[in-house]
């Protein structure tokens, strides 16, 4: 069978990386490692530039909609690169028959998030395709942010060192389970709400106070395990995390137990990983915790000198296991 | 999650492990025959906290793993027909059929294949798409077979003529007996808790009686598994094997009579092919004649060419517990979760997949 694209190629794991490096990076001659934003420097300014497409189904979900997602995702990609997000473009591919009322609601939520994040939506495009040629609505946003010269190394993790602490700003998996639940009409006793939010102000507070931030990444497709495995590979170091310290909300854990999912692999839209020198980790934690979007922040592990390129989890029960790069979409288990 | 946290408490786990260390004076080999146990053992790193004189091996407990290529090939052939929709459990999608064809690839090529969470979802799909033939890929042991039986009964009662089941459902005890007959040296079985919730623990009675091997019906949390290992060690030490129930909060001696009754009403035993183990007498479940109206094999008969198993793949020996995934020349190189050759690599519950994802480092 000739190689064709499957959903696995879009899941943010090993296949996505393979596809990007074999097809796109090879054709475009892109420098490695690939980061969330491109860093563009000239004599006067340093810019971060990023783009992302949003195809979430359903377009409205608990805690947000495709419009909110399209702003937050791009703002966060810029912010984790150390940049201050400034300008956004938005293009829409709309399926024939899509209600204008829905589109209006989506546009309003984009405006609201842009206002919250302090970015301007400055340009865009609209295309309408025949019924069945796309699923309701796809949005692509691109963003430009201003980057201070001393922050250009953050997205590639060039200064990550042994002993650095790993910090996340709250519970994992809420976005993935909220979307999955609303897509499949699963009902939860306590509703699961997407964590979708612009994190740039919170990140900025951290960057202003702390100078030893060595790496940041948002934990979107592929989840925490995807980001940790990428980091382990690019910095050629080992990573140790403690299952006990990783926050996961009750309803998300319940859904994962039932469906056979691992929260470490689930997508988030308002969570980041910060890797910083141990000496600054407590201060970062307290800044994050003072922000409503970081109330459940936790130090979850550290960069180690052993098991180069691997991510090791100390399990709840006192055992150890490898957390591998996600491979394909997570499939619900039979029993 | 208060009902789960207690079973994962690290102090409690530590105390059970110390009891095991004190009691385990010899060498022991125990087999788990449920994929859920295999995955839990790897996920919680249970192997890494057990003393080295206790070895856990994984038997044929993953329903996806033991499903033969011909089942996938048949579904793939159905999916190419006009007006057919396949409903499948998620983890069956990636299982390779002949020539690497899988439902996942068929789906990417345009076939109408949908993931469902239960057979009743497939029944609902058939109601919503009356002009399509909706074929449910019926796999699983006594845990999923009752759900299929309920759906088949409802479809027959409601004369829903576009709902079909391709049954590869199986029952567990004959496979356990095959493993014992083939002489795998075991000191005891970690018996499947959710299978036993349906069948009752008594179904394993022949194992101590005829094969002098202990059985503990076990839950799926770390404390459950470790307590069962302790119980099996004590049984082996005493030389008095028996069927004991550790998973008492769910399992009884006689099981779920309602589920057993409906299974018996809809299904009858048949010989079934187990990947790696071959054909095992009376180990499969086929629809009774009364329910031919829902039997895909009879309504849409189809012949697929059977292909030999992949060369060098040792899935069969792994399922019997004779060898471990790391012994396989394909493991981790030619056979990975991304490109599974053998079925044990496909499912989250497969031994090879669990080994690959959760393998313990020496560092």
């Amino acid at each position: 069978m000739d190689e064709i694209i499957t959903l696995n190629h879009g899941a943010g794991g090993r296949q996505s990386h393979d596809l990007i490096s074999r097809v796109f990076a090879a054709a475009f001659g892109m420098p490695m490692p690939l980061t969330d934003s491109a860093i563009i420097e000239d004599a006067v300014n340093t810019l971060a530039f990023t783009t992302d497409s949003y195809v979430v189904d359903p377009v409205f979900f608990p805690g947000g909609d495709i419009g909110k997602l399209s702003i937050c995702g791009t703002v966060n990609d810029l912010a984790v690169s150390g940049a201050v997000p400034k300008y956004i473009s938005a293009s829409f591919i709309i399926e024939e028959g899509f209600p204008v009322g829905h589109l209006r609601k989506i546009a309003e939520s984009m405006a609201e998030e842009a206002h919250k994040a302090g970015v301007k939506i400055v340009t865009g495009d609209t295309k309408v395709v025949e019924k069945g040629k796309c699923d309701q609505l796809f949005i692509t946003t691109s963003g430009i942010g201003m980057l201070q010269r001393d922050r250009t190394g953050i997205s590639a993790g060039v200064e990550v060192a042994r002993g650095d602490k790993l910090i996340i700003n709250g519970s994992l998996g809420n976005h993935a389970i909220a979307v999955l639940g609303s897509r499949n009409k699963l009902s939860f006793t306590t509703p699961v709400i997407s964590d979708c939010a612009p994190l740039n102000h919170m990140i900025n507070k951290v960057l202003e106070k702390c100078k030893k931030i060595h790496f940041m990444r948002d934990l979107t497709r592929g989840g925490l395990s995807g980001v940790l495995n990428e980091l382990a590979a690019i910095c050629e170091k080992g990573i140790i995390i403690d299952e006990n310290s990783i926050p996961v909300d009750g309803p998300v854990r319940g859904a994962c137990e039932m469906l056979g999912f691992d929260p470490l692999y689930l997508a988030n839209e308002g969570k980041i990983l910060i890797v910083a020198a141990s000496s600054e980790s407590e201060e970062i934690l307290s800044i994050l915790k003072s922000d409503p979007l970081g109330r459940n922040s936790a130090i979850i592990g550290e960069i180690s000198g052993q098991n180069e390129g691997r991510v090791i989890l100390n399990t709840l029960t006192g055992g150890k296991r490898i957390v591998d790069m996600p491979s394909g979409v997570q499939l619900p288990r039979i029993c | 999650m208060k009902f789960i946290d207690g079973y994962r408490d690290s102090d409690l786990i530590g105390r059970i492990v110390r009891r095991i260390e004190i009691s385990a004076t010899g060498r022991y080999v125990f087999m788990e025959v449920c994929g859920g146990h295999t995955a839990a053992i790897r996920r919680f790193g249970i192997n890494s906290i057990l003393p080295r004189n206790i070895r856990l091996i994984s038997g044929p407990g993953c329903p996806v793993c033991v499903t033969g290529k011909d089942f996938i090939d048949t579904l793939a052939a159905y999916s190419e027909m006009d007006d057919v929709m396949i409903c499948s459990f998620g983890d069956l999608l990636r299982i390779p059929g002949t020539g690497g064809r899988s439902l996942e690839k068929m789906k990417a090529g345009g076939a109408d294949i949908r993931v469902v969470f239960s057979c009743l979802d497939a029944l609902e799909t058939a109601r919503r798409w009356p002009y399509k033939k909706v074929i449910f890929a019926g796999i699983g042991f006594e845990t999923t077979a009752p759900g299929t039986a309920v759906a088949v009964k409802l479809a027959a009662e409601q004369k829903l003529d576009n709902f079909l089941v391709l049954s590869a459902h199986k029952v567990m005890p004959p496979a356990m007996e095959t493993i014992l007959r083939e002489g795998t040296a075991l000191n005891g079985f970690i018996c499947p808790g959710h299978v036993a919730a349906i069948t009752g623990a008594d179904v394993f009675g022949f194992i101590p009686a005829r094969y002098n091997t202990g059985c503990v019906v076990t839950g799926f949390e770390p404390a459950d598994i470790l307590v069962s290992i302790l119980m099996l060690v004590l049984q082996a030490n005493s030389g008095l094997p028996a069927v004991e129930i550790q998973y008492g909060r769910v399992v009884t001696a006689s099981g779920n009579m309602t589920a057993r009754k409906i299974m018996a009403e809809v299904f009858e035993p048949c010989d079934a092919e187990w990947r790696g183990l071959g054909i095992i007498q009376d180990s499969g479940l086929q629809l009774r004649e009364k329910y031919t109206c829902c039997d895909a094999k009879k309504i849409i008969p189809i012949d697929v060419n059977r292909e030999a198993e992949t060369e060098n793949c040792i899935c069969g020996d792994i399922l019997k517990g004779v060898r471990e995934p790391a012994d396989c020349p394909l493991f981790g190189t030619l056979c990975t979760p991304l490109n599974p050759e053998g079925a044990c690599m496909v499912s989250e519950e497969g031994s090879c997949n669990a080994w690959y994802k959760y393998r313990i480092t020496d560092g």
Side-chain angles (χ1 to χ4, degrees), chain A residues 177-178 180-188 255 258-259, chain B residues 117 121:
Chain A
I177 297 298
L180 182 91
S182 92
R183 186 185 308 154
N184 294 293
K185 302 190 174 54
L186 305 176
S187 57
F188 303 107
M258 213 172 70
L259 298 169
Chain B
F117 293 88
D121 292 346

Side-chain angles (χ1 to χ4, degrees), chain B residues 19 22-24 28 30 227-240 244:
Chain B
R19 288 275 301 278
I22 294 164
S23 308
Y28 308 83
F30 302 128
V227 166
S228 291
I229 289 170
L230 178 62
M231 290 163 79
L232 285 169
V233 166
L234 296 174
Q235 275 197 31
N237 289 353
S238 72
L240 295 169
E244 290 184 280

Side-chain angles (χ1 to χ4, degrees), chain A residues 1 4-8 14-15 18 180 184 186 243-244 249-251 253-254 257 259-263 265 306-307 310 312-313 315-324 327-335, chain B residues 1 4-5 8-10 13 36 39 42-46 48-49 63-64 89-91 93-94 99 101 104-109 115 117 139-140 143-144 221-222 337-338 348-349 356-361 363:
Chain A
M1 219 173 178
I4 54 172
I5 295 291
T6 70
L7 289 175
N8 295 326
R14 210 181 286 277
Q15 293 96 323
D18 265 13
L180 182 91
N184 294 293
L186 305 176
E243 193 167 17
N244 260 324
D249 292 344
R253 277 183 62 194
E257 291 296 330
L259 298 169
F261 290 160
D262 185 338
Y265 291 81
Q306 288 178 329
N307 295 301
R310 290 218 170 274
I312 309 289
L313 176 82
T315 70
L316 291 173
T317 51
K320 284 185 196 301
R321 68 166 158 99
I322 286 180
V323 177
D324 197 28
S327 184
V329 287
Q330 287 205 83
L331 298 171
R333 256 176 34 203
I334 170 171
C335 55
Chain B
M1 300 298 285
I4 282 184
D5 290 342
R8 296 180 181 179
D9 178 79
S10 58
I13 299 292
R42 305 300 165 206
R43 174 178 165 200
F44 294 105
I46 288 184
S48 70
I49 54 176
V64 173
F89 291 130
D91 44 3
L93 255 57
R94 213 167 283 155
R101 288 211 314 180
E104 192 170 61
K105 287 180 185 164
M106 301 301 289
K107 181 169 178 279
V115 170
F117 293 88
I139 61 162
T143 43
T144 55
E221 292 301 317
L338 198 64
E348 295 276 316
E349 303 188 350
Y356 186 90
K357 262 174 74 179
Y358 302 138
R359 65 190 180 278
I360 295 116
T361 51

Side-chain angles (χ1 to χ4, degrees), chain B residues 209-233:
Chain B
R210 266 184 261 157
Y211 297 94
N212 204 34
T213 302
C215 287
V216 175
V217 178
T218 305
F220 294 84
E221 292 301 317
D224 290 322
I225 294 169
L226 288 164
V227 166
S228 291
I229 289 170
L230 178 62
M231 290 163 79
L232 285 169
V233 166

Side-chain angles (χ1 to χ4, degrees), chain B residues 139-207:
Chain B
I139 61 162
F141 297 107
E142 292 90 334
T143 43
T144 55
T148 305
V150 169
V152 165
K153 229 183 131 192
L154 284 172
E157 277 168 15
Q158 296 164 9
K159 304 204 180 339
L160 202 64
D161 62 0
N162 65 327
F163 173 77
L164 300 173
V165 170
L166 182 70
S167 176
H169 283 295
K170 292 179 170 59
V171 291
M172 187 65 91
M176 294 165 82
E177 184 156 26
T178 300
I179 285 162
L180 290 165
R181 267 208 220 116
E182 296 212 355
T184 310
L186 290 181
N187 301 95
F189 277 112
I190 295 170
C191 288
H194 291 147
V195 165
I198 305 293
T199 62
D202 285 352
V203 78
F204 303 112
F206 70 96
I207 295 174

Side-chain angles (χ1 to χ4, degrees), chain B residues 3-50:
Chain B
F3 300 114
I4 282 184
D5 290 342
Y7 296 95
R8 296 180 181 179
D9 178 79
S10 58
D11 288 341
L12 172 68
I13 299 292
R15 289 204 299 278
I16 307 168
V17 170
R18 277 192 293 284
R19 288 275 301 278
I20 294 174
E21 284 165 351
I22 294 164
S23 308
T25 49
R27 299 190 75 78
Y28 308 83
V29 180
F30 302 128
M31 176 181 274
E32 83 274 357
V33 286
C34 177
H37 284 144
T38 309
I41 287 166
R42 305 300 165 206
R43 174 178 165 200
F44 294 105
I46 288 184
N47 271 316
S48 70
I49 54 176
L50 279 178

